[in-house]
Amino acid sequence: MAESNPLREPLLDWYGTHARDLPWRRADATPWGVLVSEIMLQQTPVARVLPVWAQWLARWPAPRDLAAEPPGEAVRAWGRLGYPRRALNLHACARAITADHGGEVPAGHDTLRALPGIGEYTAAAVASFAFGGRHPVLDTNVRRVLARAVRGEEYPPKATTAAERALATRLLPTVDAPTWGVAVMELGALVCTARAPRCADCPIAALCRWRLAGRPPHDGPARKGQTYAGTDRQCRGRLLAVLRGSHDPVPKAALDAVWSDPVQRERALDGLVHDGLAEALTDGTYRLPLAVIPQ
């Protein structure tokens, strides 16, 4: 049962004025469009997602449209969003939705959770934002806002805890829970940011336990930023860019040319093949995948 929530009114009033006009939040957004946005937005800024999301929905407006194409086309259209396994997950989702749900994104949380590559957060977000369900939606932004405002901590734990889920569930309003969820998310994205929170602009600053306690610093393990330059992830990105740029199989020499360290390059290329993001052909060339990898 929802508990009394003094954060609700000031936060919803703020959201009504400051919410960004994002296409997947509009009344005409389809459940498929919402699902695609949620997968794309994982660890990726909105500004980078917007053009790719629009191109994706123009090309594949429904799950069956994507399911009819090889998985490599999903990887190609993913472009430079990063973490391209998400493209394969979306392709697998489209196939499952087409085969098992009549081509319509299912509304039930548990049914969504059973789709390939769909985790707890994405299932809750789609069930809530696309279908109006009452589910706690705990992304990084929401977890940070609740950690600060309710628990008085600068950052949440590294992994979502049962206590966080219980708190988020108790705070859910009985009516219009999706708007509450997206409002908390928006506050974390725009105001209560990780590195430079703008407490002076925060609609719940007067109620925030972290601010009222003097903004005590995080006392847990040091939070390290992700490195990218020189990593296997960067190498994989360079190799994938070559494969995405060609509709024909690519000779090995073209892949060798984009990364100088042969040991790291071979490890990254083997990883792409293992993950189903590339196919090694018998003539020594490589291409984006045509075959579907069993889930």
Side-chain angles (χ1 to χ4, degrees):
M1 186 174 182
E3 66 180 36
S4 176
N5 182 0
L7 306 176
R8 182 175 179 272
E9 281 195 32
L11 184 49
L12 292 183
D13 287 345
W14 172 87
Y15 180 73
T17 302
H18 295 89
R20 289 170 292 181
D21 178 20
L22 302 177
W24 44 83
R25 291 180 183 168
R26 296 172 189 162
D28 62 351
T30 64
W32 172 241
V34 174
L35 174 58
V36 171
S37 76
E38 289 298 338
I39 299 293
M40 288 186 172
L41 287 164
Q42 294 168 10
Q43 298 179 284
T44 308
V46 166
R48 290 179 59 195
V49 167
L50 279 166
V52 181
W53 182 89
Q55 293 161 10
W56 191 286
L57 268 293
R59 180 173 178 179
W60 299 308
R64 66 178 74 254
D65 301 312
L66 177 58
E69 300 240 27
E73 287 306 300
V75 177
R76 192 189 313 280
W78 197 253
R80 298 178 58 82
L81 286 183
Y83 303 100
R85 280 287 302 175
R86 294 180 293 165
L88 293 183
N89 288 341
L90 261 175
H91 186 271
C93 261
R95 287 175 55 84
I97 291 167
T98 301
D100 303 330
H101 301 285
E104 301 292 334
V105 176
H109 175 275
D110 292 343
T111 308
L112 286 162
R113 185 70 179 83
L115 291 172
I118 299 298
E120 170 61 30
Y121 163 76
T122 305
V126 174
S128 180
F129 302 148
F131 297 104
R134 186 175 178 270
H135 303 280
V137 182
L138 281 166
D139 78 339
T140 301
N141 288 318
V142 172
R143 294 179 63 223
R144 184 171 59 253
V145 169
L146 296 186
R148 290 173 178 171
V150 182
R151 297 201 309 274
E153 301 168 0
E154 184 178 17
Y155 298 119
K158 285 191 174 181
T160 305
T161 66
E164 286 181 283
R165 292 190 183 94
L167 171 62
T169 300
R170 291 198 306 271
L171 292 176
L172 278 176
T174 303
V175 177
D176 204 9
T179 302
W180 160 257
V182 75
V184 180
M185 191 180 298
E186 192 78 335
L187 185 72
L190 301 182
V191 175
C192 193
T193 58
R195 301 293 181 190
R198 304 192 338 262
C199 295
D201 299 325
C202 180
I204 57 172
L207 302 169
C208 176
R209 292 185 178 180
W210 181 63
R211 190 193 70 84
L212 294 172
R215 295 176 42 155
H218 179 64
D219 62 359
R223 297 168 63 86
K224 299 179 180 178
Q226 290 185 330
T227 58
Y228 182 68
T231 62
D232 281 9
R233 185 171 159 235
Q234 184 185 35
C235 181
R236 284 163 60 104
R238 294 269 183 89
L239 298 173
L240 262 186
V242 175
L243 297 176
R244 285 199 312 268
S246 175
H247 288 273
D248 297 317
V250 172
K252 181 67 161 51
L255 298 171
D256 292 345
V258 300
W259 199 262
S260 60
D261 183 336
V263 174
Q264 188 178 30
R265 184 179 65 236
E266 294 306 310
R267 181 171 66 241
L269 185 55
D270 288 346
L272 290 175
V273 173
H274 178 269
D275 291 345
L277 291 163
E279 287 183 0
L281 305 184
T282 56
D283 63 357
T285 60
Y286 292 80
R287 69 184 179 195
L288 293 177
L290 293 180
V292 174
I293 304 298
Q295 297 294 310

